[in-house]
Amino acid sequence: MAAPASCRPEGACRSPPDLPAMAPATWRPSLPQPRLANMAAALPPLPAAARWCRPPRPAPGRWRRPPRRACVRREAAGDGRLRAALRSAPGRGGGAMVAALFCGALAALVLLGVRDVLFLYEENRCSMTYMYEYPEYLKIKLPKKIARRYPAYELYLYGEGNYAEENKNLLLTGIPVLFLPGNAGSYKQVRSLGSIALRKAEDVDFKYHFNFFSVNFNEELVALYGGSLQRQTKFVHECIKVILKLYRGREFAPTSVAIVGHSMGGLIARALLTLKNFKPELINLLITQATPHVAPVMPLDKYLTDFYTAVNNHWILKAQDLRNLTTLSVAGGFRDYQVRSGLAFLPRSSQHDSALSVVSSAVPRAWASTDHLSIVWCKELILATIRAFFDLIDENTRQITEDPKKRMSVLNHHFVRHPAKIFEENPEAFTELTGAFMWITVKASKWTYSVYNDSDGKYFTFPLASHRKSYSHVYCENSMLDTSSWIFGCMNNNSSMCLEATDLSWRAELLPTTKVVILKLQDYPSLSHIVIQVPPTVGNKYTLGCEFFKEGSRTVQLPVTHLFSFGLSSSKILLNSTGLLYNVQLQHFNQIYQAFKIYIESHCQSFEERKPSVYRLHIPWSHEDSVTVAKVPSSTEISAKLHIAQPKNDSRVPELNIYSSSDCQYEIIRFHGGALPVYIVSNILLTYGGQLSTLISTGQCSDFSLELVRTAKPYKVEPLISIVVFLQGFNWFREIWESLSLPEVEAAVLSSQDAWFPLVSLILFLFGTGIAYWSGVFFSTSLRLFSSLWLTLMRPTVLQKDKLITPRRLCGVLSLAVLSWTTCGAVAVFIIYLQYLFKVIKLHVNVRAEQNMLTGDSDHSKETSQNSRIHTVKNQSLMDSISEATQSLPNSTTAEAVNSLKIHITILNLLTWIVLLNLPSLIYWLKNLRYNVRLDPDPCRSTAIIIICILEILMNSSALELKSSKLLKIAAKVPLPLSVAMLAFGRMHLYKVPHFVTFSLLLHVLCCIV
């Protein structure tokens, strides 16, 4: 076979770009023989029969596809090392496949948890509130000094129809209530409260009414950026003074304001008391809705955490001074995935007798969990709030009562335990039982009575003397949900009639379909009879029932399985009795990480129509009960979770109360079911350190995914943190720790809040590993797509070494630093991140171009090798040496570019999380740009300037500079202690994460310079 026309039979090759003096098409070796011999001796030997001619490289700035045919003669594995470096990818090999499957399983578990939080909750059982007239918001004119100081904030008065027209002249005579919206909240969210309060005032002919004011905070993201919290607090103080001035000179002028705060608005209201010139008597009542009181949901900056610390410390230290302020915190329950209810409970040390925390699912007449937004319009909750407001009015002052005890009594009546009676501050101790009613004595231990169109009233009396020896409790229920008294106790009466009795209806409790009362006979030794009143009814149908029982016969203990049952183990109990009440005690159910599914199946002996059953999960140490109503017979699923862990000094046990139908069987089956950014960044940082270590040991940088599996191990970081937490239990170690001015390990803080257990850190670390792994795969795939698009639209440039610092780059750094200082640090970080991303994509394009060229050579190697065999080649060893010399430069350059690319991808992964953590500041700055160009305070201004300088150097660095650095060993070892410190001090302070990453990258820059 003849040789190709483009190849010379003498074995000569095209001229490499390093030898421009020779013509590319006619170049022949003309070096002196001794020099060639020395070169051949210095070069490593080639494999047998490995001889090839590299196609000419394009001139700088120009690109040309590899030739279809080349004068190449080599073995199939002649360039295996370089091609392996270029084509290495996650998933090759059995170990990589196992790692990918393991990380995929972890990521799947995270997604299942997200699905459970976002989608697998109870349906929305709240009713929407509606306005009967068009809502209007009257803007209150503020003093010029205040308007200039707070140009973005405003104060409004809510009104509807004629009421709004009457209030346009601001001659107000009502009771002032100020609504504070939360994170990104609108001042218009006050309309549900204002509208229902207006309807309630119409019912009482405007004898009392409320004026609802609302603050416009420009929908700022205060839950993510804490720099404006203090500004909002001071503005609210000014608004309170403006509101009270509107009532000056009125007959019943108020001296204080009630505040309703949604989300972060509730925290703003609490922060008012931390102001130096604020008078506590300006607020008499504070109601917060889904407010995270304990800690921020996402502690993304120092201003946010410092604000929380100041507020909570003040309320703890000044608890005795705040007794005149009544505080109610309402949490949304499990539907609120933005603010978990555990954060909405007021700190325990500030839980004095004038503070109350409840979950909306436990609020009487609501019994519904709400999401973070629906809590402001949930009709059932709003009705409870407005009823409480009207019951709080003092008839003498026509304002909210100044008596803290009465305020707490009203809030307990409407939000904790409702007896199905209208609130009375001092109910009468005895009641006369009058009326021409028939008296009927009942001696049975169990009694039921159905009423329908009964024109005659009746009194049913139950003698207690015959039951005290055999029974310990009496339980009665009434399906008539009116507010009249219905159960009484006679004292020392031997006759069958009782003219005067104590009203036991105040001991009752309202449930969704019935009102019930449970009396312990031992607590009422003076009672001789219990009397049930059945008034005449027309058109109404309801049932009553009473039964005496021993507590032990109606209580069943159900142990909770351990954490590692993984839902595979279950317990089953069968309640086969004719009783009306059962209590199932859930033993060892006391931590927030425990979660259960309780399935209750009811089977009845007859098919007659029965009243629904009510299942209540009662948590004795906090007001977070959940109530479920089910038809009979039916199969019901109840989710058992805790918002607050059991206090250490509390031995009470959670109970499942079953208010059942008689003649039914109940079968209960129970299954065990079900700070992340810090753990993700920690995994990436460990991988980054591992890549630097492999660069030292092998001279090659390992792939991100493979190095993550090899390096990111929880036993490298978790044991040290656990040891420190254990040692902090000793006074001598704590004293040494505090003397070094070291912050407290956050695992210990979370443990003190009952929000931590030993395995949670390990689980989060593994979840972080899975997310970091697939984020690396995502980055690699995205870079391939971008580079493919680049190669389609543009020509790549030749790989070349860039200088680390140039005057042009210094100007760019200076410009971004000025931009960061004068506007927002997050803006400058985002710009330098995009610039870095562009550099990485460009490097990836150049590497792929080189890879394509080498792949083209490999595809035609076999054909050209067969063609070259028919030629006689002289000085074979000499030409092999020259061929190796001509290809060594581009091959080594490409290999170093691959190493650099892998390191840059890892750094880009770290930078992405820094940008995400600083994103709230950027959004806040953009939202308020029309008011102020400079973000003040800026949580990332100083950090941004350092990051800009670092990245401007890193984006032009290469792996070759790292290899020759004396500091590389130090830089490779630092990420491990930084990861430990990040997990120890960054779980509750996410804004510290960029500091640890920045320090590691700073060492990288020093390695490039030194």
Side-chain angles (χ1 to χ4, degrees):
M1 181 181 294
S6 61
C7 298
R8 301 186 63 87
E10 293 81 6
C13 302
R14 295 179 183 267
S15 174
D18 306 78
L19 303 172
M22 300 297 177
T26 60
W27 179 81
R28 293 173 181 270
S30 59
L31 295 174
Q33 293 294 330
R35 188 174 179 183
L36 289 172
N38 294 337
M39 183 182 295
L43 293 173
L46 289 173
R51 183 162 177 256
W52 68 301
C53 296
R54 181 177 178 81
R57 293 181 60 82
R62 300 179 61 188
W63 180 78
R64 183 166 53 198
R65 292 187 180 277
R68 289 289 183 182
R69 303 171 67 88
C71 184
V72 179
R73 183 170 178 268
R74 66 178 181 181
E75 289 182 342
D79 198 28
R81 178 179 301 177
L82 179 60
R83 293 179 64 200
L86 288 171
R87 296 188 178 182
S88 63
R92 298 220 170 188
M97 182 61 70
V98 173
L101 292 176
F102 177 71
C103 294
L106 293 175
L109 287 175
V110 175
L111 293 177
L112 285 175
V114 173
R115 173 176 171 269
D116 180 74
V117 171
L118 299 182
F119 303 105
L120 297 183
Y121 45 69
E122 65 179 80
E123 62 180 4
N124 189 359
R125 292 185 288 180
C126 283
S127 303
M128 175 65 75
T129 53
Y130 296 96
M131 280 62 68
Y132 295 94
E133 297 177 279
Y134 189 78
E136 296 184 24
Y137 303 89
L138 177 63
K139 185 177 179 180
I140 305 298
K141 186 177 180 180
L142 300 175
K144 293 182 179 180
K145 182 179 179 181
I146 299 175
R148 285 196 303 266
R149 188 181 303 170
Y150 310 100
Y153 302 155
E154 297 168 326
L155 177 64
Y156 288 88
L157 172 64
Y158 178 81
E160 295 180 13
N162 294 332
Y163 173 77
E165 291 293 329
E166 293 173 359
N167 288 332
K168 284 187 176 180
N169 55 7
L170 295 181
L171 299 177
L172 306 178
T173 58
I175 304 171
V177 179
L178 178 61
F179 176 79
L180 304 180
N183 178 59
S186 171
Y187 66 94
K188 295 182 179 181
Q189 291 174 322
V190 72
R191 61 179 176 264
S192 295
L193 284 167
S195 180
I196 291 183
L198 183 59
R199 304 283 85 79
K200 180 73 173 177
E202 291 176 350
D203 292 341
V204 296
D205 295 328
F206 281 91
K207 180 180 180 182
Y208 312 111
H209 70 279
F210 290 85
N211 302 128
F212 276 86
F213 297 85
S214 183
V215 174
N216 179 17
F217 284 135
N218 194 31
E219 300 183 8
E220 294 177 340
L221 300 176
V222 288
L224 305 178
Y225 170 73
S228 62
L229 287 171
Q230 195 68 22
R231 187 184 304 115
Q232 289 188 1
T233 305
K234 293 179 180 179
F235 179 74
V236 172
H237 183 199
E238 299 294 337
C239 288
I240 292 175
K241 292 189 288 186
V242 170
I243 290 172
L244 293 178
K245 285 182 181 179
L246 296 175
Y247 295 87
R248 188 172 296 174
R250 304 291 187 271
E251 181 180 1
F252 297 100
T255 58
S256 59
V257 175
I259 295 181
V260 178
H262 172 243
S263 187
M264 295 298 289
L267 187 69
I268 295 294
R270 292 180 61 213
L272 286 169
L273 299 166
T274 65
L275 299 178
K276 293 182 179 179
N277 57 345
F278 183 80
K279 299 178 180 179
E281 57 268 18
L282 293 179
I283 305 176
N284 52 23
L285 176 65
L286 171 60
I287 298 178
T288 65
Q289 302 170 331
T291 297
H293 292 293
V294 178
V297 178
M298 294 289 288
L300 294 176
D301 61 56
K302 185 175 183 295
Y303 306 109
L304 192 58
T305 57
D306 288 350
F307 189 83
Y308 264 91
T309 301
V311 172
N312 286 330
N313 287 345
H314 181 86
W315 277 62
I316 292 172
L317 297 175
K318 303 292 185 179
Q320 297 298 325
D321 299 336
L322 302 178
R323 287 183 175 273
N324 291 327
L325 172 61
T326 303
T327 308
L328 170 66
S329 175
V330 182
F334 289 109
R335 278 187 59 87
D336 189 351
Y337 59 85
Q338 298 184 42
V339 177
R340 64 178 180 87
S341 298
L343 294 178
F345 276 64
L346 292 166
R348 290 175 182 169
S349 50
S350 65
Q351 285 275 21
H352 45 77
D353 54 3
S354 62
L356 181 63
S357 300
V358 299
V359 180
S360 62
S361 60
V363 175
R365 297 207 244 188
W367 298 298
S369 176
T370 64
D371 59 55
H372 196 63
L373 293 180
S374 67
I375 197 171
V376 301
W377 55 256
C378 180
K379 183 178 179 179
E380 289 75 11
L381 274 179
I382 299 301
L383 283 172
T385 304
I386 298 303
R387 291 184 187 117
F389 271 132
F390 276 86
D391 285 341
L392 287 169
I393 297 176
D394 188 338
E395 293 184 358
N396 297 322
T397 63
R398 296 196 176 184
Q399 297 294 326
I400 291 179
T401 179
E402 297 295 332
D403 185 1
K405 292 184 178 180
K406 180 180 178 180
R407 292 199 295 257
M408 284 303 299
S409 298
V410 171
L411 294 181
N412 276 286
H413 179 91
H414 289 282
F415 288 90
V416 178
R417 186 184 181 95
H418 198 295
K421 287 180 64 65
I422 298 175
F423 175 79
E424 295 181 21
E425 185 177 359
N426 297 308
E428 295 182 0
F430 296 96
T431 302
E432 292 184 1
L433 302 181
T434 59
F437 287 7
M438 182 185 301
W439 289 81
I440 303 173
T441 302
V442 180
K443 297 183 179 180
S445 61
K446 181 180 178 181
W447 168 82
T448 58
Y449 184 76
S450 296
V451 183
Y452 182 65
N453 284 337
D454 192 350
S455 59
D456 297 327
K458 298 180 178 65
Y459 285 121
F460 292 91
T461 63
F462 298 82
L464 297 182
S466 59
H467 296 297
R468 290 186 181 275
K469 295 181 179 180
S470 302
Y471 305 103
S472 61
H473 291 73
V474 59
Y475 166 81
C476 293
E477 61 183 15
N478 185 353
S479 62
M480 173 61 78
L481 302 182
D482 60 355
T483 58
S484 59
S485 298
W486 60 282
I487 182 170
F488 306 90
C490 290
M491 307 178 92
N492 300 324
N493 188 8
N494 296 325
S495 65
S496 59
M497 299 177 59
C498 179
L499 299 180
E500 189 178 56
T502 179
D503 191 353
L504 297 177
S505 303
W506 294 103
R507 305 287 182 181
E509 182 176 9
L510 180 64
L511 293 175
T513 61
T514 184
K515 48 188 178 183
V516 302
V517 61
I518 303 175
L519 302 176
K520 188 176 181 180
L521 299 180
Q522 185 179 356
D523 296 339
Y524 300 90
S526 59
L527 293 184
S528 60
H529 293 75
I530 288 179
V531 179
I532 302 295
Q533 180 182 359
V534 180
T537 58
V538 178
N540 293 327
K541 182 179 181 180
Y542 62 97
T543 59
L544 300 99
C546 286
E547 67 172 341
F548 294 85
F549 64 92
K550 282 187 175 181
E551 184 178 16
S553 63
R554 299 299 173 86
T555 302
V556 180
Q557 295 183 348
L558 184 63
V560 170
T561 55
H562 58 80
L563 181 65
F564 295 102
S565 63
F566 298 107
L568 300 177
S569 62
S570 63
S571 299
K572 181 177 179 180
I573 61 174
L574 186 65
L575 303 178
N576 190 8
S577 177
T578 58
L580 300 176
L581 173 68
Y582 302 97
N583 295 320
V584 180
Q585 294 183 347
L586 302 176
Q587 300 290 330
H588 313 299
F589 181 37
N590 50 25
Q591 298 297 329
I592 60 174
Y593 58 81
Q594 295 173 298
F596 302 92
K597 291 292 185 183
I598 302 177
Y599 298 92
I600 303 179
E601 297 181 1
S602 58
H603 309 280
C604 296
Q605 298 177 0
S606 60
F607 295 96
E608 63 182 18
E609 182 181 357
R610 300 178 181 276
K611 68 181 183 66
S613 293
V614 178
Y615 311 127
R616 180 173 66 174
L617 182 63
H618 175 59
I619 311 300
W621 56 79
S622 63
H623 303 296
E624 54 176 287
D625 295 2
S626 59
V627 179
T628 305
V629 181
K631 295 181 179 179
V632 178
S634 65
S635 178
T636 307
E637 177 184 310
I638 300 175
S639 178
K641 303 176 187 176
L642 292 177
H643 298 290
I644 299 293
Q646 183 180 28
K648 295 181 180 180
N649 57 350
D650 197 325
S651 60
R652 292 174 292 178
V653 180
E655 291 182 343
L656 176 64
N657 305 134
I658 301 177
Y659 302 93
S660 61
S661 297
S662 59
D663 301 325
C664 290
Q665 182 184 90
Y666 291 83
E667 183 177 331
I668 302 175
I669 308 174
R670 190 250 319 114
F671 289 92
H672 192 282
L676 202 52
V678 178
Y679 288 88
I680 299 173
V681 177
S682 177
N683 276 274
I684 301 174
L685 199 58
L686 288 173
T687 305
Y688 167 73
Q691 287 180 318
L692 297 183
S693 299
T694 56
L695 195 63
I696 297 173
S697 58
T698 64
Q700 302 292 330
C701 182
S702 57
D703 185 80
F704 174 83
S705 300
L706 298 177
E707 190 61 36
L708 173 69
V709 175
R710 188 184 70 86
T711 309
K713 305 295 184 183
Y715 60 78
K716 294 183 178 181
V717 294
E718 291 299 333
L720 182 59
I721 298 176
S722 300
I723 291 173
V724 173
V725 173
F726 172 76
L727 292 177
Q728 281 191 336
F730 299 96
N731 293 329
W732 60 270
F733 184 84
R734 194 182 305 111
E735 292 175 358
I736 296 175
W737 189 270
E738 293 175 354
S739 64
L740 297 175
S741 300
L742 293 174
E744 190 173 2
V745 178
E746 295 181 356
V749 178
L750 292 171
S751 298
S752 64
Q753 298 175 356
D754 298 320
W756 202 254
F757 68 103
L759 290 178
V760 69
S761 186
L762 174 62
I763 294 173
L764 288 175
F765 190 93
L766 293 177
F767 285 168
T769 303
I771 296 175
Y773 180 92
W774 289 104
S775 68
V777 174
F778 172 77
F779 266 100
S780 300
T781 305
S782 301
L783 287 176
R784 286 182 177 274
L785 292 176
F786 282 121
S787 61
S788 299
L789 182 62
W790 187 310
L791 286 172
T792 304
L793 301 177
M794 303 174 62
R795 295 179 178 179
T797 59
V798 176
L799 289 171
Q800 57 183 359
K801 178 67 177 67
D802 293 334
K803 293 183 179 180
L804 292 178
I805 303 175
T806 62
R808 182 179 178 183
R809 289 172 187 149
L810 285 177
C811 293
V813 170
L814 184 60
S815 301
L816 288 177
V818 172
L819 179 67
S820 173
W821 188 261
T822 56
T823 58
C824 175
V827 176
V829 171
F830 186 69
I831 293 174
I832 198 70
Y833 171 79
L834 294 179
Q835 189 177 350
Y836 194 92
L837 177 62
F838 175 80
K839 282 279 188 177
V840 174
I841 295 175
K842 183 178 179 181
L843 179 60
H844 196 278
V845 168
N846 293 333
V847 170
R848 286 195 64 181
E850 290 292 328
Q851 182 179 2
N852 291 337
M853 293 174 64
L854 294 175
T855 304
D857 291 344
S858 175
D859 292 339
H860 301 286
S861 61
K862 184 175 182 179
E863 179 184 352
T864 55
S865 177
Q866 292 176 353
N867 293 338
S868 64
R869 289 173 184 169
I870 66 175
H871 300 288
T872 302
V873 183
K874 299 179 181 180
N875 302 324
Q876 178 176 344
S877 61
L878 177 63
M879 298 309 300
D880 288 344
S881 302
I882 295 175
S883 177
E884 177 73 14
T886 57
Q887 75 169 7
S888 61
L889 179 60
N891 284 2
S892 62
T893 303
T894 306
E896 292 301 332
V898 173
N899 291 332
S900 301
L901 178 62
K902 292 178 179 179
I903 294 179
H904 283 306
I905 290 177
T906 304
I907 295 176
L908 188 64
N909 207 339
L910 287 170
L911 293 176
T912 301
W913 286 99
I914 292 181
V915 172
L916 291 176
L917 293 176
N918 289 326
L919 198 59
S921 299
L922 176 60
I923 297 174
Y924 182 91
W925 175 76
L926 290 173
K927 193 174 184 62
N928 293 273
L929 187 59
R930 57 178 175 171
Y931 301 109
N932 199 345
V933 176
R934 190 172 191 263
L935 180 63
D936 188 28
D938 190 346
C940 57
R941 179 173 289 125
S942 56
T943 307
I945 296 176
I946 299 174
I947 291 176
I948 291 168
C949 299
I950 290 174
L951 295 187
E952 191 63 48
I953 297 175
L954 283 185
M955 69 176 63
N956 302 299
S957 64
S958 65
L960 186 62
E961 296 161 342
L962 282 177
K963 291 181 182 179
S964 59
S965 175
K966 299 178 181 179
L967 300 177
L968 182 57
K969 291 184 178 179
I970 299 177
K973 294 179 180 179
V974 165
L976 177 58
L978 287 179
S979 297
V980 176
M982 189 185 303
L983 295 182
F985 307 116
R987 289 187 179 110
M988 300 173 61
H989 301 82
L990 293 180
Y991 64 89
K992 294 181 180 179
V993 172
H995 301 162
F996 296 107
V997 177
T998 302
F999 183 78
S1000 184
L1001 296 181
L1002 181 61
L1003 289 179
H1004 191 130
V1005 170
L1006 294 178
C1007 289
C1008 297
I1009 298 175
V1010 180

